[in-house]
Amino acid sequence: MKLFLIIIFLFVFSSPNFAETQVKEVKTKYSHIKVLDEGSIRTMYFVRDNGEEVIESSQDKLFPKNLFLLYTQKMFASMLIQPKPEKAILAGLGGGSMVHYINHTYPNLELDVVEIDPEIYKLAKEYFSLKENKRTKIYIEDFFVHIKKNKQKYSIIFMDAFLKPSELTDESGINLKAKDKEFLNDLKNHLAPNGVVAFNINTHSGFKKDIKLIRESFKNIYVFNKTGSGNVIVLATESAERVSYKKMQENAQVLDKSISSNFKYSTLCEYYKETDELFK
């Protein structure tokens, strides 16, 4: 069996370039979406009005529990701050790669997922093997409405919701409501003790302003960035005590030893940046 898996791996990753083939194309109330295959890699793209195709989610069909995109791995730097989460909420489903990873890697973690577009939910189920279970609940709803009426407290709040850029969003597709201080206060009110909000921020022209707003709204923030990456991950907490870099490394070593993952949490530590570096 082990030899068989090695042969598959070598075939998939050592073969010449695969032709990209279109699996599905859908235009919804919120987005223009394409699903494309290249070898074993299946990717969901958002198509902007100018024709630009932006990767929304990507999955290796042979290893769906793995996180294929770097930014999704960096979102789990949140575990360096809160290594023992009990309940999490994810804004934005996409192809469901983070849901697959959480369900496999953190079997005791309760997860709520909120997705505004019912067509994305259908695509995730049909083409990305998304399955609900007793501890993973998926809500087809506007996240801003959901968080207002929801009384739950969360160890981690993952903010990863993007729409097609319009007058209601910034140039990267983030809803302008997400930059409202009242909404950020709502997020703070939903944090459990030692909880963390993980913001996925595309490096658009106003991303430093976005980080500054988060820094002004929360007691502590932690920035994770990799040179050349198109995304910055900002972790925000209301904890009075700041987690040291040494403690992050210690948490990473424990996680690397205790869970099975396709990436190392100790590597995520290397992406940590002092916040002031971004504002020089």
Side-chain angles (χ1 to χ4, degrees):
M1 175 61 76
K2 187 179 292 185
L3 177 60
F4 177 70
L5 291 175
I6 291 172
I7 291 171
I8 290 178
F9 180 87
L10 291 174
F11 174 77
V12 171
F13 295 101
S14 301
S15 298
N17 292 334
F18 288 93
E20 195 171 51
T21 57
Q22 183 166 302
V23 177
K24 187 73 173 180
E25 183 172 7
V26 178
K27 291 184 179 180
T28 78
K29 176 182 176 182
Y30 302 98
S31 299
H32 177 187
I33 307 161
K34 286 184 179 181
V35 178
L36 302 177
D37 278 356
E38 187 172 1
S40 69
I41 306 302
R42 175 162 289 175
T43 302
M44 180 184 289
Y45 290 90
F46 282 175
V47 184
R48 295 181 173 175
D49 289 341
N50 63 3
E52 180 186 5
E53 296 181 352
V54 180
I55 293 177
E56 203 290 328
S57 187
S58 198
Q59 179 188 91
D60 188 332
K61 291 180 289 182
L62 296 178
F63 307 98
K65 65 181 177 61
N66 289 351
L67 288 177
F68 186 74
L69 297 177
L70 177 60
Y71 96 84
T72 57
Q73 296 176 10
K74 289 193 295 181
M75 288 288 273
F76 286 86
S78 50
M79 302 296 185
L80 305 179
I81 308 298
Q82 171 48 279
K84 296 180 179 180
E86 296 179 357
K87 191 172 181 66
I89 187 169
L90 168 61
L93 171 63
S97 59
M98 290 177 63
V99 178
H100 280 292
Y101 181 79
I102 288 172
N103 285 341
H104 177 268
T105 311
Y106 296 93
N108 297 317
L109 178 60
E110 294 182 31
L111 177 66
D112 291 341
V113 184
V114 184
E115 170 57 54
I116 195 171
D117 193 338
E119 292 301 320
I120 286 183
Y121 174 58
K122 292 177 184 177
L123 291 172
K125 287 202 300 181
E126 185 171 357
Y127 297 103
F128 292 86
S129 306
L130 179 71
K131 296 178 182 178
E132 295 180 66
N133 57 52
K134 292 181 180 179
R135 59 187 176 78
T136 297
K137 298 179 181 179
I138 299 177
Y139 300 87
I140 308 304
E141 190 173 22
D142 185 325
F143 184 80
F144 301 99
V145 173
H146 183 87
I147 208 71
K148 276 287 187 185
K149 66 182 183 181
N150 184 359
K151 304 300 181 184
Q152 295 284 343
K153 298 285 187 177
Y154 295 98
S155 305
I156 304 177
I157 301 174
F158 295 103
M159 293 300 301
D160 189 30
F162 291 83
L163 297 170
K164 183 174 68 173
S166 70
E167 68 278 2
L168 300 177
T169 76
D170 67 15
E171 64 191 76
S172 73
I174 290 287
N175 196 313
L176 295 178
K177 294 179 184 178
K179 306 185 183 194
D180 187 277
K181 285 196 173 184
E182 181 181 349
F183 170 69
L184 295 177
N185 284 332
D186 284 341
L187 294 183
K188 289 194 291 186
N189 291 335
H190 283 79
L191 284 176
N194 301 316
V196 56
V197 185
F199 295 91
N200 175 24
I201 301 176
N202 281 340
T203 50
H204 62 288
S205 61
F207 85 99
K208 291 184 179 181
K209 184 178 179 181
D210 293 344
I211 296 174
K212 184 178 179 182
L213 175 63
I214 296 170
R215 182 168 62 170
E216 291 172 349
S217 301
F218 289 83
K219 289 182 180 177
N220 280 298
I221 73 167
Y222 309 81
V223 178
F224 290 78
N225 187 28
K226 178 176 170 62
T227 302
S229 173
N231 301 73
V232 175
I233 304 303
V234 179
L235 308 180
T237 75
E238 279 295 281
S239 301
E241 185 176 351
R242 186 170 180 81
V243 178
S244 68
Y245 182 66
K246 181 179 179 182
K247 183 61 177 177
M248 290 185 211
Q249 290 177 309
E250 291 173 356
N251 289 339
Q253 290 172 4
V254 172
L255 289 165
D256 285 338
K257 291 178 181 178
S258 61
I259 66 174
S260 174
S261 177
N262 68 303
F263 63 93
K264 294 292 186 182
Y265 283 80
S266 53
T267 300
L268 299 181
C269 292
E270 298 173 9
Y271 304 146
Y272 174 69
K273 305 289 184 184
E274 291 294 339
T275 310
D276 290 343
E277 291 183 28
L278 295 171
F279 297 95
K280 290 180 180 179

